[in-house]
Amino acid sequence: KDFRDAERLVKRLVADELKLSFVPDWEQRLWRTLTRRRYQLTRARVQLQNQLEALLEEAHLKLSSLVSDLLGVSARRMLQAIADGETNPEALAGLADRRLRATPAQLSDALGACTELHAVYRRLIKMMLGELKVIEEHTAELNQELATLLRPHQDAVERLAEVPGLGVDSAQQILAEVGTNAAVFASDKNLCSWVGVCPGDEESAGESSSHRSPQGNRQMRRLLNQAANAAVKTKGSIFEIVYRRLVQRLGHNQTIGAVAHRLCRLIWLMLRKGVRY
């Protein structure tokens, strides 16, 4: 089998079918550095939120059960007051926004443990809020830097952001990974194969062993899978129709893969042809 594999590779080399890997130019590599760093900060923010929620549960502060966003405006004001030493539950409940669904009585009951809260918990909450502020400041700086660098390609960003499941951040990352016009990829199939959102063809000595999708570009695969999950929830979109048609037969995961494949082909068409969604 090794000899037959070697023979097949030699034939592909003679036929000029073995291409070099895609290495973008320095400008696109700079975009990639910024977008991937922004994603790391986003993950760090989510991780910090989970750690903060675990800390509050340990301190018997049930705030997360009454607010939709633990790092929202109302919750952050209450947490900052707790970190500063506030011990009155009614005063903490009064810091909540009027539009919050939870009543002041419910908030006071959930924050009742703050009357005897140990000082160590207050210091830890203050440290986490400080880390959160630094992460948000760095994220804002990265957003500003990306907006400046991608200003000449603002039209492409806006066109991609119109696609269901995508947004400005996703559009910027797509341009950083694929390029402004996907000129490196001769067809939408080439792009899907490079990203890894197509069935694989693992063949050895003429025998197919698996159709598992190739690894491809991990950043684009993650982005397309997230966009597909959001696109199928957009009422009236073609992606919602495709999802409902395929999910009974393929299941959720494979259907999301199929939607991601469609999104990838659509992205190539919009970048290469310059059309709108």
Side-chain angles (χ1 to χ4, degrees):
K1 290 186 176 180
D2 292 342
F3 179 80
R4 294 173 65 180
D5 281 338
E7 184 181 17
R8 176 175 57 85
L9 289 174
V10 169
K11 290 181 178 179
R12 292 193 61 184
L13 177 63
V14 173
D16 197 24
E17 293 180 355
L18 298 181
K19 303 296 183 181
L20 295 176
S21 299
F22 168 42
V23 179
D25 56 26
W26 68 269
E27 185 179 22
Q28 188 175 342
R29 292 200 300 271
L30 184 60
W31 300 346
R32 283 187 175 186
T33 301
L34 292 176
T35 55
R36 294 180 181 184
R37 176 56 184 163
R38 184 175 62 183
Y39 172 65
Q40 292 173 352
L41 290 178
T42 303
R43 290 188 60 183
R45 188 180 189 274
V46 174
Q47 185 179 13
L48 182 62
Q49 180 176 353
N50 294 335
Q51 293 172 351
L52 178 59
E53 184 173 4
L55 179 65
L56 294 179
E57 289 292 328
E58 182 180 342
H60 305 292
L61 298 175
K62 307 298 182 181
L63 184 61
S64 59
S65 61
L66 296 178
V67 295
S68 58
D69 185 6
L70 188 59
L71 299 181
V73 177
S74 297
R76 194 175 300 188
R77 280 202 297 260
M78 289 183 279
L79 290 174
Q80 187 62 54
I82 293 174
D84 293 337
E86 180 62 57
T87 59
N88 188 355
E90 288 76 14
L92 292 173
L95 297 175
D97 193 274
R98 295 180 179 180
R99 294 173 294 179
L100 199 65
R101 292 185 178 181
T103 63
Q106 291 175 328
L107 290 172
S108 298
D109 182 61
L111 299 172
C114 69
T115 56
E116 300 177 355
L117 188 64
H118 198 280
V120 173
Y121 288 111
R122 298 183 188 275
R123 288 195 290 269
L124 288 175
I125 293 174
K126 189 172 185 178
M127 289 170 57
M128 289 185 174
L129 292 177
E131 292 179 26
L132 175 64
K133 184 178 179 180
V134 172
I135 290 175
E136 291 178 341
E137 290 176 352
H138 289 180
T139 303
E141 292 177 5
L142 290 177
N143 289 335
Q144 184 63 35
E145 196 73 37
L146 277 169
T148 302
L149 293 177
L150 291 174
R151 186 172 291 120
H153 311 287
Q154 186 64 25
D155 179 65
V157 174
E158 293 177 354
R159 284 188 286 109
L160 287 176
E162 296 174 354
V163 179
L166 298 179
V168 175
D169 291 351
S170 302
Q172 291 175 343
Q173 187 167 351
I174 289 172
L175 294 184
E177 298 294 335
V178 177
T180 56
N181 54 6
V184 179
F185 307 98
S187 66
D188 53 351
K189 295 181 179 180
N190 293 138
L191 178 59
C192 291
S193 177
W194 179 77
V195 173
V197 288
C198 62
D201 187 16
E202 297 183 13
E203 183 175 320
S204 179
E207 297 181 3
S208 178
S209 58
S210 174
H211 292 289
R212 183 187 297 271
S213 297
Q215 293 184 359
N217 184 288
R218 292 183 298 173
Q219 306 293 332
M220 278 293 294
R221 284 193 64 173
R222 171 190 54 78
L223 176 63
L224 289 177
N225 284 331
Q226 291 177 351
N229 277 285
V232 298
K233 298 176 183 177
T234 304
K235 299 297 182 181
S237 66
I238 184 62
F239 306 107
E240 182 192 24
I241 298 173
V242 171
Y243 179 82
R244 291 185 176 182
R245 188 175 71 234
L246 298 179
V247 68
Q248 296 296 332
R249 178 166 55 90
L250 300 179
H252 175 76
N253 291 337
Q254 290 192 25
T255 304
I256 290 298
V259 175
H261 176 80
R262 284 179 175 247
L263 276 172
C264 189
R265 297 178 62 182
L266 176 63
I267 289 170
W268 181 88
L269 180 65
M270 294 177 66
L271 291 179
R272 195 66 178 270
K273 306 296 182 181
V275 297
R276 308 193 76 89
Y277 176 72

